[in-house]
Amino acid sequence: MAEQNLQRNLISRVNVGDLLVRSAARSPKQIAIVDGDRRLGYRALNDWVNRTAHGLAALGYQRGDALGLMSTNNAEFLATYFACAKLGLICVPINLFWRHTELAYVLGHAAIKGMVVEAGLLDQLQPALAECSTVDHVVVIGDRPEAAVAGRQSLGFDDLQDGMPAAEPEALVEDRDPISYLYTSGTTSAPKGVVSSHLAIYLESLGVALDTRMTADDRVTAILPLFHTAQLNVIATPAIAVGATIFIQRGFDAARVAHLIEAERLTLLFALPMMYRALLEQLARESRDVASLRLAIYAMAPMPTHELRNAIDKLGCDFALMFGQTEMNPLSAYFRPEHQLSHPGAVGTPSVNVQIAIMDPAGGFLAEGQSGEIVYRSPQVLTGYLHNPEATDAAFAGGWFHSGDSGYFDADGILWFEDRFKDVIKSGGENVASIEVEKALYAADPAVQEVAVVGLPHDRWDEAVTAVVVVKTGEALDEKTLLTKVRDHLSPFKCPKRVIFTEALPKTATGKIQKAKLRKDLVDFYRTDK
C-alpha cells in the first residue's frame, strides 16, 4: 500500500522541485544558471540537485525534517532549495543580517536538523550552533575546516554528492506539505515563522510568470538576497518554471549590473528603487547598450513619479511594482506597466490567484474609496505561523487572511496602500519591527522617557528607521551617545539612522502614540536634513 501511495503521489503531486524537472525535460541544454564563471544547463542543474537530494537522504534526512540554509547568492543556494523540495524537506533560509541571538532562536524554534552554510559565514554561525541542540550535520559550501563545526559532523557540499546518482529521488510529498519556513519581523521582537506549502509556491511562481509574461527567452537577475522570498519566489522559482536563465549576483554593484545588461543581453531586472537610482547615475557616467531590457521590476516601495519617468526614459523598458508580503509567498498585487504613470503611488491590481478585499474592524466589506484593512483569499497564502496557533487564528479570522495593512480600491479597481497597522518599516529591502527598535532604545539608556520609531522617506533606504525620543526630566542625552549604545542591542540594519529629540509625542485621547501624525509631520525630514 505504501508503494502504491508513493506511485500515485508521484503522478499527480504539486511539488516545487518538479518545476525544475519539467524545464529540464523541455529544454535540457538551455542555460539555467550563470554564477560567475559557471554556466549550468537545465539538465546539468537538475542532475546536480538530484545528487544533492540523494546525499541528504544518505545522511538520514527525510520528509518533514528542517534544513537551515545560510549562504550568500550562489548556485548552491538554489540547488539546496530544490533538493529539499524533491525530498519533502523544509528549507529554512537564514537572514544573513541576523545576530547570533536571532539566529539561535530560529535554529531552535524551527528544530533545524542540519545546516548548509557558506564557508565564509561559519564564524557567524558558530555561536548560535553552540546554543542549539537539534543540529546534527553542517554541510559547508566552499573550503571547510578539518575540525568539526561546533562539535557537529561536517562535510563539504561537493562531498555530499560524491558517488550519488543523478536519478530522480522518489519521495512522497503532499501538495500542502511545507517547502519552507520563512521568518519575518513582526510587531514583537521574536520573528514569526511563516509556513509555506509546495502548492502555494508552485501557484505563485506560475502566477508571477503570467503577470510578467516571463518565458524561456528571458534572461533575469538575482541581485537581492535569495534568502528573501521576494528574490526567491518572485524571480527565481518563476524563472525555473518557464525555463529562463538566471544571472546570480552577489550583492548590487551599479557598474557590474550595467555591464551585465549589455554583455548578456538581460531582459528583466528586479531591484529596489535605490538600486535603479544608482544604475541610472552609472549609465550617465558610462554609456551602455540596455536595449535588451523589456521589464524592470521594483519592490518594497513605490518610486516617485519624476524618478519613474526618468527611469522609463533612460532604460527604455516597461516598469512594474510587486506588492505583497512574506505570508503571500509573496506577491498579492501587481502594479502593471500601463498603470505606472496614470495612477502614480498605487500598488496595483490583484495578481493571478489572489482575491483582495477591504474590511472594516467589524469584518464588513468596504466600497471603493473607503479605507480599511487589506485582506486576501488565495491558495498562495501561508499555511500558518509555526508553533503559533493564536497568531494563525487571528490572521485567518472571518475566512480571510488579514494583512495588517491599510488601503483602499479606487474607482478603476486599483489598490492603494496607506499604512501598516503593524508598524513594520521596510528599510533597504529589510523588514524592521518598530517595537523591537523601541525596546532596544529603552534598554540602551535609562534617560529615555518615551520613544516612537517610524519609517521616514529616504532617497537611499526608501524608509529610514528613525527614532523620536523624549528624554526624562533632569537627564541629558545626545544623539551620538544613544546611537552608539543601541548598536549593542540590535542588528545593524535595525538601528535608527537618526534620533529626533522632542518634548512630547503626539497621542490619542487614550494615550496611544500617533505614529501616523509623526510620519506626516516629519515626511520631509531627510530632504531637509543636510
Side-chain angles (χ1 to χ4, degrees), residues 33-91:
I33 292 175
V34 178
D35 179 12
D37 294 332
R38 294 185 291 177
R39 290 178 180 255
L40 293 173
Y42 268 92
R43 176 181 290 165
L45 175 60
N46 191 56
D47 288 350
W48 189 34
V49 167
N50 290 344
R51 289 193 294 269
T52 303
H54 285 295
L56 290 169
L59 290 176
Y61 290 86
Q62 56 189 343
R63 178 186 177 191
D65 287 338
L67 184 72
L69 177 52
M70 187 174 182
S71 176
T72 59
N73 287 5
N74 52 41
E76 286 82 359
F77 189 109
L78 291 177
T80 302
Y81 182 72
F82 282 98
C84 285
K86 291 187 177 191
L87 282 185
L89 307 185
I90 304 161
C91 186

Side-chain angles (χ1 to χ4, degrees), residues 157-344:
F157 193 85
D158 292 338
D159 298 331
L160 181 69
Q161 296 120 42
D162 189 29
M164 294 297 161
E168 289 295 332
E170 295 188 344
L172 191 151
V173 184
E174 297 289 354
D175 300 355
R176 289 289 185 181
D177 279 359
I179 169 62
S180 62
Y181 298 153
L182 298 171
Y183 280 81
T184 179
S185 297
T187 55
T188 60
S189 57
K192 289 190 292 187
V194 173
V195 182
S196 301
S197 70
H198 282 266
L199 181 66
I201 300 299
Y202 198 105
L203 290 179
E204 191 272 349
S205 300
L206 297 181
V208 169
L210 287 172
D211 275 327
T212 62
R213 300 174 184 176
M214 192 184 295
T215 72
D217 293 329
D218 275 309
R219 301 165 72 78
V220 309
T221 55
I223 295 173
L224 300 179
L226 281 165
F227 60 72
H228 270 310
T229 182
Q231 182 66 74
L232 184 59
N233 299 133
V234 165
I235 296 298
T237 53
I240 294 294
V242 301
T245 301
I246 304 171
F247 289 82
I248 296 176
Q249 299 292 291
R250 288 165 173 77
F252 172 75
D253 178 86
R256 187 173 66 242
V257 171
H259 170 74
L260 189 67
I261 296 170
E262 180 179 65
E264 298 288 359
R265 311 308 296 159
L266 298 187
T267 62
L268 191 151
L269 288 180
F270 177 52
L272 302 178
M274 65 181 182
M275 295 175 180
Y276 284 111
R277 296 184 197 112
L279 177 59
L280 292 174
E281 291 171 0
Q282 176 64 31
L283 292 174
R285 292 190 295 268
E286 179 186 23
S287 179
R288 292 285 186 180
D289 179 3
V290 297
S292 60
L293 289 176
R294 69 168 186 86
L295 181 64
I297 299 172
Y298 58 107
M300 307 302 177
M303 292 178 67
T305 304
H306 70 282
E307 288 188 2
L308 186 57
R309 288 183 185 276
N310 182 52
I312 292 172
D313 178 60
K314 294 295 191 298
L315 294 181
C317 66
D318 285 336
F319 270 71
L321 167 70
M322 296 290 196
F323 178 79
Q325 59 191 109
T326 304
E327 289 87 343
M328 291 299 294
N329 290 300
L331 185 62
S332 59
Y334 183 56
F335 192 26
R336 305 173 189 281
E338 61 266 30
H339 296 145
Q340 291 288 308
L341 297 178
S342 63
H343 296 72

Side-chain angles (χ1 to χ4, degrees), residues 483-513:
L483 289 176
T484 298
K485 289 182 176 180
V486 81
R487 291 188 184 104
D488 293 331
H489 298 265
L490 291 170
S491 297
F493 73 94
K494 297 179 181 179
C495 292
K497 298 295 183 288
R498 291 294 307 274
V499 175
I500 302 170
F501 292 98
T502 185
E503 293 183 358
L505 294 171
K507 297 178 180 178
T508 65
T510 58
K512 184 177 180 181
I513 296 172

Side-chain angles (χ1 to χ4, degrees), residues 7 26-27 74 102 119 142 187 211 215 252 285 328 346 348 379 392 396 414 419 458 468 482 501:
Q7 290 174 356
R26 287 195 312 273
S27 307
N74 52 41
E102 296 163 303
T187 55
D211 275 327
T215 72
F252 172 75
R285 292 190 295 268
M328 291 299 294
T392 301
F396 292 152
I414 295 177
D419 203 354
H458 191 283
V468 185
L482 185 55
F501 292 98

Side-chain angles (χ1 to χ4, degrees), residues 399-439:
W400 291 77
F401 171 70
H402 293 255
S403 71
D405 293 335
S406 173
Y408 65 92
F409 277 107
D410 65 18
D412 295 321
I414 295 177
L415 181 66
W416 294 74
F417 167 78
E418 292 183 311
D419 203 354
R420 298 179 184 90
F421 292 132
K422 301 176 184 178
D423 290 320
V424 174
I425 300 165
K426 293 187 176 181
S427 181
E430 294 292 329
N431 286 348
V432 180
S434 61
I435 192 170
E436 181 183 2
V437 184
E438 289 162 1
K439 288 179 179 178

